[in-house]
Amino acid sequence: MVGMKKRLIMLLTLILAVSMFLIGCSDKSSETNSNEDPGKDKGDNSASVEITWWTFPNFQALDGELGKYEKQIIEAFNEKHPDIKVNLEMLSFEGGTEKLNLAIASNTAPDMIYDAPGRIIDWAKKGLLAPLNDMMPDDVVNDISPAIMKQSMVDDDVFMYPFNTGPFMMAVNKTIFEDIGELDLLPLDRPDRTWTVAEYEKALRAVKEKAPEIIPSGFYAKSLAGDQGTRGYITNIGGSRFLNEDNSEVAINSENGIKGLEWVVKAAEEGLVAPGAASLEAGDHNDLFLQGKMAFAINYSAVLKSLFAPDKTVEFEDVLLPYPTPDGSDPKLEPFLGGMAVFNNDDEKKIEASKKLIDFIVNDPEWGKKNLIQTGGLSARNSITGVYEGSEYEYSELARKFITDPPTTADGYAEIRTHWFPALQEALLGTKTPKEALDQFAEKANASIKKAQESK
């Protein structure tokens, strides 16, 4: 009997020891899980997540080093979100589009992108992006112009968080006109700086006559980059639209649109436009202006003025001007717009983490304003003004009233733009008349719109 009691006591002791061991393991396991995923029980879906951020050079290079400023943003972001690792990838304007297309085709798209609506909205229409509606309450949406919101949405969903903006327009090398004594030919004494095509022609001829070593104005037609500059130039000079008001078909092959392209072709023949424009890219055009070799640039904005500043090889004052119109009436300017989007890579944690990075870049009390200034752009928010000092920024703020709806939101726009430059080249080279070139462009572009609409 005594032996039986001893065995029973030993058995109970063993059971108690095993129980204590299991409880200890359970506690240790809970502690390990908590350390591996801090904040998990608090519902923080972005904890311990790694995301990729791809961006073009939207911020001015810091100390001449591309990506250096972006790395500072990430460091500041990690002070508030230490459990979100951000991998930065800088894209070039020359090869960035191809790299993005390859990444999307191979299912290796980045998690977050800082780009322009032309590509972003096309991706959204293809179902590649995550909506950002939860980041855009009514007070934010109502503080942004309808033209900008339209560029950021597909139907009722927001896919691009708009950040920096500024109307695309022209620029003039004011110093050249001071040197030749013809400053009064520019409309700089007018508050809105509007002017006629005839006044513009007079300024071009003055440069050709009094500074023959200077190219009066630029144009380009070799590749897709900078298409908004050629659109704005031709549509305003002719007094036309590029697409009709609902973006359902091309309007640039109208009588006035044809007049706009005819003017460009004639100006090229007379030496008022850069020679060999059919074989020039937007970058070539920019270089001519920044080297002081060309009086007018046709693709400029407050943002580009800031980004181009380090690339000037000679000192001169570049001043913003609207495109001229036939009668000097208000021009129609497409808005430059930079914003951020999130790719839907089927990972909610990465989507939420990417949204937090966007919110930090745009809205952080310290870094939001700092980041905006580093872009050189105006805020997409109407209530945020006076960020900069200087007449050109004041004029850019004023010129917001000329902003019109851009064609970049049209169905099939990514394909439409591939037909535009070949049409310009044919007109400049004389292989087709401006009417023939624009009619053919309209036929191809309208087919692209129809195809995109049918595939929805």
Side-chain angles (χ1 to χ4, degrees):
M1 180 67 96
V2 175
M4 179 73 71
K5 286 182 178 179
K6 285 184 177 180
R7 285 195 294 272
L8 183 58
I9 290 170
M10 291 175 62
L11 179 60
L12 290 173
T13 302
L14 179 62
I15 291 172
L16 181 60
V18 171
S19 299
M20 293 299 292
F21 174 77
L22 292 175
I23 290 171
C25 288
S26 176
D27 289 343
K28 190 174 291 186
S29 175
S30 298
E31 183 181 345
T32 301
N33 288 338
S34 177
N35 288 335
E36 287 177 351
D37 192 7
K40 181 176 181 180
D41 293 335
K42 299 177 184 178
D44 185 353
N45 292 326
S46 68
S48 301
V49 63
E50 186 172 339
I51 61 173
T52 54
W53 171 24
W54 287 15
T55 181
F56 290 88
N58 293 296
F59 298 105
Q60 297 172 58
L62 199 62
D63 300 326
E65 180 184 330
L66 284 176
K68 184 174 182 178
Y69 183 78
E70 288 81 351
K71 290 174 184 175
Q72 289 189 358
I73 292 176
I74 294 170
E75 289 175 6
F77 173 72
N78 281 147
E79 289 180 6
K80 295 188 175 183
H81 300 280
D83 299 308
I84 301 176
K85 181 180 179 182
V86 181
N87 297 312
L88 175 68
E89 180 84 26
M90 294 298 299
L91 301 171
S92 69
F93 288 117
E94 291 75 23
T97 300
E98 184 178 357
K99 186 170 184 176
L100 280 163
N101 291 338
L102 289 172
I104 291 168
S106 60
N107 294 318
T108 57
D111 296 299
M112 200 269 272
I113 182 88
Y114 182 0
D115 198 7
R119 280 182 286 265
I120 287 177
I121 295 305
D122 184 60
W123 295 327
K125 289 178 178 179
K126 293 175 180 176
L128 299 173
L129 303 182
L132 306 178
N133 298 44
D134 58 335
M135 299 183 67
M136 302 289 292
D138 289 344
D139 62 318
V140 173
V141 173
N142 294 335
D143 194 25
I144 299 173
S145 72
I148 288 178
M149 283 308 305
K150 185 176 180 181
Q151 286 191 87
S152 307
M153 302 176 69
V154 175
D155 298 325
D156 296 326
D157 288 322
V158 179
F159 287 99
M160 184 179 77
Y161 198 114
F163 181 37
N164 59 320
T165 188
F168 277 117
M169 57 184 96
M170 297 173 63
V172 62
N173 183 327
K174 181 182 175 183
T175 305
I176 289 175
F177 282 85
E178 290 173 334
D179 291 344
I180 65 176
E182 295 287 7
L183 193 59
D184 61 336
L185 294 180
L186 303 178
L188 300 179
D189 58 343
R190 303 170 191 172
D192 55 11
R193 302 183 185 178
T194 54
W195 56 334
T196 67
V197 174
E199 290 172 326
Y200 175 50
E201 284 184 9
K202 190 173 182 179
L204 294 177
R205 296 185 192 285
V207 173
K208 184 180 180 183
E209 177 185 346
K210 297 188 176 183
E213 74 283 4
I214 302 294
I215 300 167
S217 187
F219 200 77
Y220 48 92
K222 186 178 179 181
S223 64
L224 300 181
D227 53 330
Q228 70 280 344
T230 54
R231 282 197 307 266
Y233 196 60
I234 291 172
T235 55
N236 279 284
I237 284 175
S240 173
R241 288 182 61 93
F242 189 73
L243 302 180
N244 63 7
E245 292 190 6
D246 64 2
N247 287 341
S248 61
E249 64 179 5
V250 169
I252 191 65
N253 64 328
S254 65
E255 181 180 352
N256 286 345
I258 293 167
K259 285 181 181 178
L261 184 53
E262 286 176 341
W263 185 94
V264 172
V265 171
K266 183 180 178 183
E269 292 171 349
E270 294 182 17
L272 300 180
V273 167
S279 59
L280 294 179
E281 295 183 328
D284 303 322
H285 159 277
N286 298 339
D287 288 343
L288 288 171
F289 185 70
L290 297 172
Q291 292 165 5
K293 298 177 180 179
M294 190 167 71
F296 289 92
I298 69 166
N299 186 39
Y300 232 67
S301 68
V303 177
L304 293 177
K305 174 181 169 67
S306 178
L307 292 177
F308 288 161
D311 299 326
K312 285 184 178 179
T313 58
V314 295
E315 285 297 320
F316 67 90
E317 185 179 358
D318 45 347
V319 176
L320 298 171
L321 286 174
Y323 297 112
T325 58
D327 58 0
S329 57
D330 289 354
K332 293 181 172 61
L333 306 180
E334 291 186 26
F336 167 88
L337 184 58
M340 281 146 273
V342 177
F343 279 93
N344 184 0
N345 291 324
D346 296 323
D347 190 323
E348 284 301 321
K349 289 177 68 175
K350 292 191 173 190
I351 289 173
E352 292 306 312
S354 298
K355 288 180 179 179
K356 288 185 177 182
L357 178 57
I358 291 174
D359 184 64
F360 177 84
I361 292 172
V362 179
N363 298 316
D364 182 79
E366 176 187 356
W367 281 84
K369 181 178 179 180
K370 187 185 297 187
N371 294 337
L372 179 64
I373 292 172
Q374 199 71 15
T375 70
L378 308 175
S379 174
R381 301 275 293 270
N382 294 323
S383 63
I384 301 176
T385 59
V387 177
Y388 309 90
E389 294 182 359
S391 59
E392 294 316 288
Y393 281 105
E394 291 173 5
Y395 177 68
S396 193
E397 290 276 12
L398 180 150
R400 281 183 189 244
K401 67 180 182 179
F402 300 138
I403 287 179
T404 187
D405 54 309
T408 52
T409 57
D411 291 326
Y413 176 74
E415 187 172 302
I416 291 171
R417 69 197 298 247
T418 65
H419 305 309
W420 176 236
F421 280 103
L424 298 181
Q425 283 184 320
E426 290 179 321
L428 288 167
L429 294 173
T431 57
K432 282 187 171 62
T433 66
K435 182 180 188 310
E436 291 170 341
L438 291 179
D439 281 342
Q440 184 173 337
F441 165 71
E443 182 180 351
K444 292 179 179 179
N446 287 337
S448 297
I449 294 172
K450 184 177 180 182
K451 181 175 71 174
Q453 290 175 336
E454 290 174 347
S455 65
K456 291 169 99 175

